[in-house]
């Protein structure tokens, strides 16, 4: 498993977008800049992008940062790859930003695997915003988790 910025120089989502739009329409767009930045990494297995991790400043001045993970292929939803990748990503972020005390992660109540993974990694539920996500004729809650540096290190 390798963690790369992009896949052979191009992020898998960019490859998908290229199938939809001509490259010239998104070549210099904010999404392209973001996907190729150090805020976004692609995890490859056998030269195929299977996982993307990201970090986003909610407010860099107040040091409020959130992370995310997307596992593209459901084949990899079981087996622990998400946990292994997030452990590396969280450690890398805390190493990169020694002044950072908190990392947040937001999911929804319709994703019990992500909730379980957040808790397994030591994240604490910090907020639950009720019935703000509507999907397939049903409302779900927004679930916000966080971990402090000293909780991660210990």
């Amino acid at each position: 498993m390798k963690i790369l910025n992009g896949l052979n120089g191009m992020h898998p989502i960019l490859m998908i977008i290229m199938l939809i739009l001509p490259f010239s329409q998104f070549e210099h767009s904010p999404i392209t800049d973001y996907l190729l930045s150090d805020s976004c990494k692609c995890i490859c297995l056998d030269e195929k992008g299977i996982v993307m991790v990201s970090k986003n400043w909610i407010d860099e001045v107040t040091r409020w940062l959130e992370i995310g993970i997307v596992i593209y292929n459901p084949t990899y939803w079981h087996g622990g790859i998400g946990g292994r990748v997030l452990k590396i990503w969280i450690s890398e972020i805390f190493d990169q930003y020694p002044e950072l005390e908190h990392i947040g992660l937001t999911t929804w109540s319709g994703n019990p695997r992500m909730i379980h993974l957040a808790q397994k990694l030591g994240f604490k539920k910090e907020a639950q915003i009720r019935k703000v996500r509507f999907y397939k004729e049903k409302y779900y809650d927004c679930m916000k988790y966080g971990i402090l540096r000293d909780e991660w290190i210990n």
Side-chain angles (χ1 to χ4, degrees):
M1 180 171 38
K2 334 183 242 189
I3 297 180
L4 304 172
N5 274 334
L7 176 61
N8 295 330
M10 185 169 293
H11 194 282
I13 291 178
L14 292 180
M15 288 187 233
I16 293 166
I17 293 171
M18 282 184 65
L19 298 173
I20 301 167
L21 297 171
F23 185 70
S24 61
Q25 288 187 14
F26 68 88
E27 179 179 14
H28 300 291
S29 71
I31 188 70
T32 303
D33 294 341
Y34 172 73
L35 290 172
L36 295 176
S37 74
D38 70 346
S39 292
C40 203
K41 291 196 179 183
C42 177
I43 290 72
C44 300
L45 183 64
D46 300 327
E47 299 300 316
K48 293 181 182 165
I50 57 168
V51 180
M52 182 186 81
V53 289
S54 61
K55 63 182 179 196
N56 295 290
W57 289 106
I58 304 303
D59 186 342
E60 193 168 0
V61 173
T62 64
R63 301 179 183 162
W64 183 0
L65 183 130
E66 290 240 341
I67 61 170
I69 183 170
V70 176
I71 301 176
Y72 302 114
N73 187 332
T75 303
Y76 298 103
W77 287 358
H78 309 298
I81 194 167
R84 291 194 313 266
V85 168
L86 276 180
K87 283 180 186 177
I88 294 167
W89 189 230
I90 293 163
S91 293
E92 184 177 307
I93 292 168
F94 275 133
D95 289 346
Q96 183 179 6
Y97 301 102
E99 70 285 356
L100 187 66
E101 287 295 325
H102 176 274
I103 292 176
L105 182 151
T106 301
T107 189
W108 60 302
S109 59
N111 191 349
R113 287 186 189 104
M114 189 67 240
I115 292 168
H116 175 75
L117 177 57
Q119 293 169 339
K120 183 177 174 183
L121 291 173
F123 280 73
K124 308 285 187 248
K125 185 165 86 168
E126 297 176 329
Q128 181 170 348
I129 302 136
R130 297 176 298 154
K131 295 189 175 186
V132 293
R133 295 199 179 185
F134 189 74
Y135 178 69
K136 292 188 177 181
E137 302 302 313
K138 184 177 176 184
Y139 279 99
Y140 294 89
D141 298 348
C142 172
M143 311 294 286
K144 299 186 96 33
Y145 289 85
I147 193 160
L148 301 177
R149 174 182 294 277
D150 63 342
E151 294 168 339
W152 183 252
I153 293 169
N154 297 324

